[in-house]
Amino acid sequence: MPPNRIFAILIVLISIGALQAGVVRRGSSDEPVTTEAQESNAREALERCEKRYQETKVKQIHAAWAYGSNITEHNLARKKETATEFAEVAKSVAQELRQFDYQSFRNEDLKRRFKELTKLDYAALPEDKFKELFGAVANMESNYAKIKLCTYKDNANCQLSLDPELTEIMASSRDAEELKYYWIEWYNRAGKPTRESFQKYVDLNTEAAKLNGFENGADVWLSEYDDPTFEQQVRDVIMQLRPLYEQIHAYVRFKLRQKYGPELVSETGPIPMHLLGNMWGQTWDNIADFTTPFPEKKLLDVTDEMVKQGYTPLKMFQMGDEFFESLNMTKLPQTFWDKSIIEKPTDGRDLVCHASAWDFFATDDVRIKQCTRVNMREFFVVHHELGHIQYYLQYQHQPVEYRGGANPGFHEAVGDVLSLSVSTPKHLKKVGLLKDYEEDEQVRINQFYRSGVTKFVFLPFAYTLDRYRWDVFRGEIKPDEYNCRYWQLRSEFCGVEPPVLRTEEDLDPPAKYHVSADVEYLRYFVSYVIQFQFHKAACRLAGEYVAGDPEKTLNNCDIYQSAAAGNKLKEMLSLGASKPWPDAMEVLTGERKMNADAILEYFKPLHDWLVGENKRLGAHVGWTPSEKCKKQFDFAPTK
Ligand code: X8Z
Ligand code: ZN
């Protein structure tokens, strides 16, 4: 008998068993009608399901790791096979558990566990379509991972990868023509060739959403935040952040205009994004050297010192580990060190270099894959990734369906909370990376500025990446406007534009990893807001923050070695996904909502300074819409 048939029969038998066990369907009254005996029955079924679910998941993750760290046809086939198998098991688990009227369970926790395990996501698709969707995303992801570009003005050398070469060039070159060349090459190679896969992905994502009872993929993603008003809250935060964003934008555009001249950078238009030091213009810290408010004063950049002191990726991870330990949190297990990939392999294989942290759903089997380089930026990425690992370790005692973040933004925020401490001069001095750093008002403004172009300017970028995909999933953006509507959003919310005219012949969104790899991005937006709430609460616990005390401000707090802060953080993390996220947030912060007050408080001194400075410079605040994307090239001579 084909395995599918056996499976179907099993399901029927199990369902009959469940019904015979006397699970009473909800009657006309709203009172829960299940009895304790029935719930204990349900619990047994649940535990059986969890086991099956976890075992297949582990298999799938091993195959995904093998593929991510060595992109070959064989590894792809294996990943696809195990993902399909997992989808089938998830489907059968959901079917089995849906036989129970779990909405009527009196035990809230049991109800929640059932709810979690009956969510299907892409697994709801029939097998052929699941495989098709898997293939479409795999095409985009591997296309992205394998891109190699030729060196500017040297077609003989065509071995430049995003990680590390292109990232470094975008960060350090100040030759506008060279930057434009790499920008165009990257977007042409990462975007346009994926059009067919991207369309298939959008269509099947929508189909899966509908099978799961949602209207579209946007609603699926937003459902993770468990609040029908969440999208509106995000929009409200964007509005709250806008005044400071406009000030930073105005100031940076002014400095870029000084550097590259008025032909390249207009006085009132969007910023040509290739000049911002990053392929996507998502952070602008790489141009802090020539845009910083007081260039004659010290800059907070410890990259040279790290190199001078012979830092290695291993040392960077050890220091991150030690920070967590200093908070009385969990030390990395030996398996982490044995199995992680923390440097780019040099054997020429293709791999996904975009940093990631992995939970293998066993005990202590957690790993990071990162093509780490020695610089300050990556030092923070190391802490970011270790934050994911710490979360995995804190909730590993939970049942499989609770082994996840309270919401996706929580997972992204943990390591960044540590980075907010690590990036203070106070901490960098403690660890011997900052010497002869005399602080005065101007030095402090330089420091806040650097945080601003690292953290603050990222928020509109993060918003637009998912605002774009929501609109695509909702059918508000049609296939013949996929490209220009992306640039329209980037222009409207970020005030940036491509260096050259783009058209609907191009498809630029997949040039960002998370679009090609189908990773929701609102998580980073949420993280960048709530990490300041977490930071504030942790600083207070560490005795490093007192409201109104100029000596104990949010931007000069280091929670290093504070068990008081670490213990509360731990308490929040150990809940995993077992409680609604506001409950988790409340444990650490006492708050139950995402709130931009903390980030605005952190950046208040920068805001005040920029308002004065932009006035003094006569820098225009705000921008006109970009005209850098047209449906098609217009070859008609301009009159
Ligand atoms: O993708 C990441 C992490 C892995 S979860 C390295 N980040 C976003 C990005 O690189 O675009 C961290 C910040 C934003
Ligand atoms: Zn992350």
Side-chain angles (χ1 to χ4, degrees):
M1 204 181 308
N4 281 353
R5 286 282 301 281
I6 303 180
F7 214 50
I9 291 172
L10 263 175
I11 292 294
V12 172
L13 288 176
I14 290 166
S15 327
I16 293 170
L19 290 173
Q20 280 173 343
V23 178
V24 186
R25 300 255 157 210
R26 191 197 278 265
S28 55
S29 118
D30 272 348
E31 285 302 297
V33 287
T34 53
T35 64
E36 247 163 63
Q38 287 152 8
E39 290 193 10
S40 116
N41 220 304
R43 196 176 291 277
E44 264 173 39
L46 175 73
E47 279 163 12
R48 264 199 325 272
C49 283
E50 282 171 350
K51 190 160 176 287
R52 211 149 55 92
Y53 185 93
Q54 180 159 352
E55 279 168 7
T56 351
K57 194 171 174 113
V58 166
K59 234 161 103 181
Q60 185 226 326
I61 292 169
H62 277 270
W65 168 270
Y67 175 72
S69 39
N70 188 9
I71 303 181
T72 64
E73 282 305 314
H74 170 80
N75 285 346
L76 175 62
R78 184 84 196 114
K79 181 178 165 187
K80 190 170 189 169
E81 199 181 298
T82 54
T84 311
E85 192 188 335
F86 174 62
E88 289 307 309
V89 168
K91 213 182 304 192
S92 107
V93 160
Q95 271 164 1
E96 180 175 345
L97 297 182
R98 280 184 193 143
Q99 304 304 318
F100 294 87
D101 184 17
Y102 58 88
Q103 301 286 4
S104 306
F105 289 169
R106 282 171 305 180
N107 183 307
E108 283 303 319
D109 184 62
L110 195 61
K111 198 193 287 186
R112 186 176 176 85
R113 286 168 71 178
F114 266 70
K115 232 195 257 162
E116 289 295 323
L117 275 178
T118 46
K119 280 187 196 161
L120 274 180
D121 207 4
Y122 292 160
L125 289 168
E127 190 178 317
D128 54 338
K129 291 201 169 162
F130 177 87
K131 283 187 169 152
E132 217 181 315
L133 174 53
F134 180 95
V137 176
N139 275 346
M140 293 193 287
E141 191 177 8
S142 74
N143 174 67
Y144 186 101
K146 288 181 180 177
I147 296 172
K148 302 256 187 326
L149 300 185
C150 299
T151 308
Y152 180 52
K153 291 186 177 163
D154 177 9
N155 274 347
N157 175 8
C158 296
Q159 284 306 310
L160 305 187
S161 318
L162 179 65
D163 238 324
E165 293 90 357
L166 302 174
T167 304
E168 286 303 337
I169 295 169
M170 293 310 287
S172 59
S173 167
R174 304 294 179 235
D175 174 343
E177 277 305 310
E178 181 185 18
L179 290 166
K180 184 165 89 179
Y181 162 83
Y182 285 114
W183 189 98
I184 295 172
E185 289 294 304
W186 177 259
Y187 279 74
N188 284 351
R189 294 279 293 278
K192 195 171 171 175
T194 70
R195 186 170 269 271
E196 205 183 310
S197 296
F198 185 74
Q199 188 59 58
K200 197 175 283 177
Y201 156 70
V202 171
D203 293 343
L204 291 171
N205 175 296
T206 310
E207 221 171 302
K210 290 197 159 73
L211 286 170
N212 285 308
F214 293 93
E215 293 252 316
N216 52 56
D219 290 353
V220 175
W221 279 357
L222 281 161
S223 71
E224 292 289 311
Y225 300 94
D226 223 5
D227 179 346
T229 68
F230 201 72
E231 186 177 358
Q232 189 53 47
Q233 292 177 38
V234 170
R235 287 178 191 235
D236 293 346
V237 170
I238 279 286
M239 293 308 291
Q240 268 182 288
L241 304 177
R242 181 88 175 193
L244 173 52
Y245 186 75
E246 284 181 355
Q247 292 295 330
I248 303 180
H249 179 276
Y251 174 80
V252 169
R253 181 178 50 198
F254 187 92
K255 293 282 159 180
L256 285 171
R257 206 169 137 80
Q258 279 184 334
K259 174 130 188 125
Y260 291 105
E263 311 76 40
L264 269 186
V265 185
S266 87
E267 193 175 1
T268 57
I271 297 174
M273 62 186 286
H274 62 307
L275 306 178
L276 287 168
N278 174 281
M279 191 63 92
W280 310 276
Q282 67 184 63
T283 56
W284 310 347
D285 50 327
N286 293 322
I287 57 163
D289 56 346
F290 72 88
T291 58
T292 201
F294 300 101
E296 64 289 353
K297 289 286 172 84
K298 273 261 182 186
L299 299 183
L300 193 75
D301 188 341
V302 297
T303 295
D304 291 348
E305 190 62 30
M306 288 170 75
V307 173
K308 198 170 126 201
Q309 292 187 23
Y311 268 55
T312 58
L314 180 63
K315 160 112 177 146
M316 289 155 73
F317 278 90
Q318 284 167 340
M319 286 178 69
D321 186 26
E322 201 272 325
F323 198 127
F324 277 104
E325 232 190 310
S326 88
L327 298 174
N328 193 34
M329 297 181 84
T330 304
K331 204 169 146 53
L332 290 166
Q334 187 55 41
T335 45
F336 171 88
W337 299 108
D338 296 342
K339 294 179 173 167
S340 289
I341 298 175
I342 59 170
E343 287 190 62
K344 186 171 181 174
T346 51
D347 53 9
R349 70 173 102 150
D350 283 313
L351 78 159
V352 176
C353 257
H354 192 92
S356 53
W358 297 62
D359 184 359
F360 287 76
F361 289 86
T363 302
D364 283 352
D365 194 353
V366 288
R367 310 177 198 172
I368 284 174
K369 178 161 62 63
Q370 183 177 342
C371 303
T372 321
R373 281 155 300 126
V374 176
N375 61 45
M376 184 160 85
R377 229 178 320 128
E378 294 257 325
F379 195 38
F380 298 141
V381 179
V382 164
H383 287 80
H384 174 93
E385 297 305 330
L386 286 174
H388 288 301
I389 298 289
Q390 185 65 216
Y391 215 159
Y392 300 148
L393 294 172
Q394 292 302 337
Y395 60 54
Q396 65 175 345
H397 62 284
Q398 296 277 4
V400 60
E401 64 277 16
Y402 285 165
R403 291 176 77 165
N407 75 33
F410 275 59
H411 233 300
E412 300 304 333
V414 181
D416 287 12
V417 170
L418 272 67
S419 290
L420 285 174
S421 287
V422 175
S423 62
T424 58
K426 203 192 243 180
H427 186 81
L428 293 169
K429 277 181 196 165
K430 267 182 216 161
V431 296
L433 278 173
L434 203 58
K435 292 168 186 163
D436 315 318
Y437 188 82
E438 292 298 321
E439 287 185 57
D440 62 23
E441 210 32 49
Q442 298 186 340
V443 169
R444 263 192 289 276
I445 292 296
N446 275 349
Q447 179 198 323
F448 301 151
Y449 173 76
R450 180 178 263 283
S451 314
V453 289
T454 308
K455 288 278 173 187
F456 201 88
V457 302
F458 173 78
L459 281 146
F461 167 78
Y463 172 66
T464 51
L465 210 62
D466 271 11
R467 168 70 188 272
Y468 171 76
R469 287 184 291 179
W470 295 339
D471 289 355
V472 167
F473 292 154
R474 288 172 170 152
E476 278 166 25
I477 295 179
K478 304 273 185 294
D480 67 351
E481 43 183 21
Y482 275 175
N483 209 38
C484 290
R485 290 285 296 274
Y486 176 68
W487 290 118
Q488 186 246 319
L489 287 168
R490 294 299 310 277
S491 160
E492 182 180 345
F493 291 100
C494 313
V496 303
E497 66 180 8
V500 288
L501 186 68
R502 307 300 279 171
T503 74
E504 289 300 335
E505 290 285 296
D506 308 306
L507 184 67
D508 296 319
K512 174 68 191 160
Y513 172 75
H514 303 70
V515 176
S516 271
D518 182 26
V519 180
E520 184 248 23
Y521 210 79
L522 191 72
R523 62 190 57 190
Y524 302 107
F525 178 89
V526 173
S527 158
Y528 275 49
V529 177
I530 65 176
Q531 65 186 246
F532 286 90
Q533 295 174 254
F534 295 168
H535 175 67
K536 186 169 172 172
C539 292
R540 200 177 261 139
L541 287 162
E544 285 274 298
Y545 170 73
V546 177
D549 182 342
E551 296 299 309
K552 303 216 158 164
T553 59
L554 274 192
N555 37 39
N556 190 31
C557 145
D558 177 13
I559 63 169
Y560 186 59
Q561 291 176 331
S562 168
N567 288 342
K568 269 282 173 224
L569 191 56
K570 209 155 71 171
E571 201 182 321
M572 175 174 84
L573 301 187
S574 64
L575 291 174
S578 68
K579 292 271 160 33
W581 69 260
D583 291 5
M585 179 181 263
E586 197 171 15
V587 169
L588 175 62
T589 67
E591 298 174 312
R592 299 183 59 85
K593 281 220 176 286
M594 172 170 72
N595 181 336
D597 291 351
I599 185 172
L600 289 172
E601 179 180 342
Y602 187 99
F603 284 113
K604 174 99 178 25
L606 177 66
H607 195 165
D608 291 346
W609 182 83
L610 280 170
V611 169
E613 183 67 1
N614 282 330
K615 274 209 189 95
R616 194 182 69 80
L617 296 171
H620 177 81
V621 177
W623 56 87
T624 52
S626 169
E627 293 175 354
K628 282 286 175 58
C629 195
K630 297 262 185 322
K631 247 192 168 149
Q632 50 208 147
F633 281 117
D634 181 6
F635 292 111
T638 43
K639 294 219 171 107

